């Protein structure tokens, strides 16, 4: 089955700095890569996603890059703010089936 | 304009006492999922429905059951909750089909087992 590794598990940054989270996956048939943000006591919220036919996608301060050859993708948050503090999960979806495989999560703390 | 709604948000039950968690959606999505999430861990898929077709994960205990009476509603039944079942339970939906695999999560139900 699919295996998704996410690093780092915790990340502390100063407000205004950038944060980068990386995920690697094992199944080359995977074709959809969402990122979720989960605040304490809430459900995961989709913040950005990318499909396998695209190498990079950006939405304001958030960007995702995908390297299909190396089977890894990354979340980039620029100009971090305290409200970016949360747990972030990457996930991977295969072309067949309706299931996501999640990474282990990264706890991000933005220090004011 | 809530899209995936879970009730209750907090549920307390006693060891061994059956409990039912509820999920409803206004997206008219074909697929509904139930996840279990324990502290500091990723969501773990328990099962999902594609329309009326039930798909159980191989490692989901028999203690967990689900019902989907119609497109909008899905229920998670825990027949005899143990202390290890205390967790956040997340419902999610997706449209289903190729290229429509985005999952949208509800706010979750925090289950406490006494």
């Amino acid at each position: 089955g699919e295996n998704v590794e996410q690093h780092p598990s915790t990340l502390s940054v100063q407000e205004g700095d950038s944060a980068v989270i990386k995920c690697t996956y094992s199944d080359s048939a995977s074709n959809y890569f969402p990122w979720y943000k989960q605040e304490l006591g809430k459900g995961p919220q989709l913040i950005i996603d990318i499909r396998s036919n695209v190498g990079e996608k950006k939405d304001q301060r958030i960007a995702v890059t995908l390297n299909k050859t190396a089977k890894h993708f990354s979340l980039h948050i620029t100009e971090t703010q305290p409200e970016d503090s949360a747990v972030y999960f990457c996930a991977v979806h295969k072309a067949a089936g309706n299931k996501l495989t999640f990474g282990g999560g990264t706890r991000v703390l933005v220090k004011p | 304009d809530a899209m995936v709604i879970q009730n209750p948000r907090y549920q307390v039950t006693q060891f061994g006492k059956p409990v039912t968690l509820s999920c409803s959606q206004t997206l008219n999505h074909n697929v509904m999922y139930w996840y279990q999430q324990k502290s500091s861990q990723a969501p773990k898929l328990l099962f999902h429905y594609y329309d009326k077709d039930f798909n159980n994960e191989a490692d989901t205990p028999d203690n967990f059951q689900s019902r989907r009476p119609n497109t909008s509603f899905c229920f998670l039944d825990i027949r005899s909750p143990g202390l290890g079942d205390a967790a956040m339970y997340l419902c999610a939906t997706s449209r289903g089909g190729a290229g429509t695999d985005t999952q949208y999560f509800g706010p979750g139900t925090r289950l406490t087992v006494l």
Side-chain angles (χ1 to χ4, degrees):
Chain A
E2 176 70 270
N3 183 41
V4 180
E5 293 191 2
Q6 183 172 344
H7 297 282
S9 57
T10 60
L11 181 59
S12 182
V13 297
Q14 206 67 37
E15 182 178 359
D17 288 350
S18 295
V20 181
I21 305 169
K22 298 182 180 180
C23 286
T24 60
Y25 60 98
S26 58
D27 192 336
S28 57
S30 299
N31 67 342
Y32 173 64
F33 309 90
W35 284 91
Y36 288 89
K37 174 184 180 182
Q38 187 173 25
E39 296 176 340
L40 193 63
K42 298 183 179 180
Q45 179 185 13
L46 180 71
I47 56 171
I48 196 166
D49 55 12
I50 193 167
R51 299 193 183 273
S52 58
N53 58 346
V54 176
E56 184 174 355
K57 184 177 178 181
K58 190 173 181 181
D59 183 3
Q60 299 182 341
R61 296 186 296 108
I62 295 173
V64 55
T65 57
L66 171 64
N67 184 326
K68 278 197 67 181
T69 303
K71 289 188 279 189
H72 68 71
F73 58 112
S74 299
L75 177 70
H76 305 254
I77 307 173
T78 59
E79 301 171 26
T80 54
Q81 301 168 2
E83 52 264 39
D84 294 329
S85 296
V87 178
Y88 292 80
F89 291 99
C90 65
V92 173
H93 185 281
K94 284 202 301 189
N98 296 289
K99 297 191 287 189
L100 291 175
T101 301
F102 284 87
T106 298
R107 184 174 299 277
V108 174
L109 175 62
V110 180
K111 295 181 286 186
Chain B
D1 57 344
M3 295 184 291
V4 183
I5 303 159
Q6 291 189 243
N7 287 304
R9 294 294 314 278
Y10 301 91
Q11 176 73 57
V12 179
T13 191
Q14 291 181 336
F15 183 94
K17 185 174 181 181
V19 65
T20 294
L21 309 182
S22 169
C23 178
S24 64
Q25 53 129 342
T26 59
L27 299 163
N28 203 34
H29 280 174
N30 294 314
V31 192
M32 294 187 77
Y33 307 81
W34 279 105
Y35 289 87
Q36 179 192 65
Q37 186 179 32
K38 296 191 175 181
S39 183
S40 303
Q41 296 182 19
K44 178 181 183 296
L45 183 64
L46 295 174
F47 25 59
H48 73 279
Y49 274 95
Y50 194 124
D51 291 331
K52 295 183 179 180
D53 292 333
F54 178 70
N55 298 271
N56 197 31
E57 293 301 296
D59 57 354
T60 298
D62 292 339
N63 197 28
F64 292 88
Q65 304 284 319
S66 186
R67 297 170 284 134
R68 189 178 185 186
N70 53 52
T71 300
S72 301
F73 283 88
C74 196
F75 300 99
L76 169 62
D77 301 308
I78 309 177
R79 295 193 296 187
S80 181
L83 297 178
D85 297 327
M88 174 78 92
Y89 289 88
L90 297 163
C91 176
T93 74
S94 71
R95 195 176 302 175
T100 56
D101 27 48
T102 302
Q103 289 191 22
Y104 300 92
F105 284 82
T109 295
R110 169 76 61 188
L111 178 67
T112 300
V113 182
L114 301 177

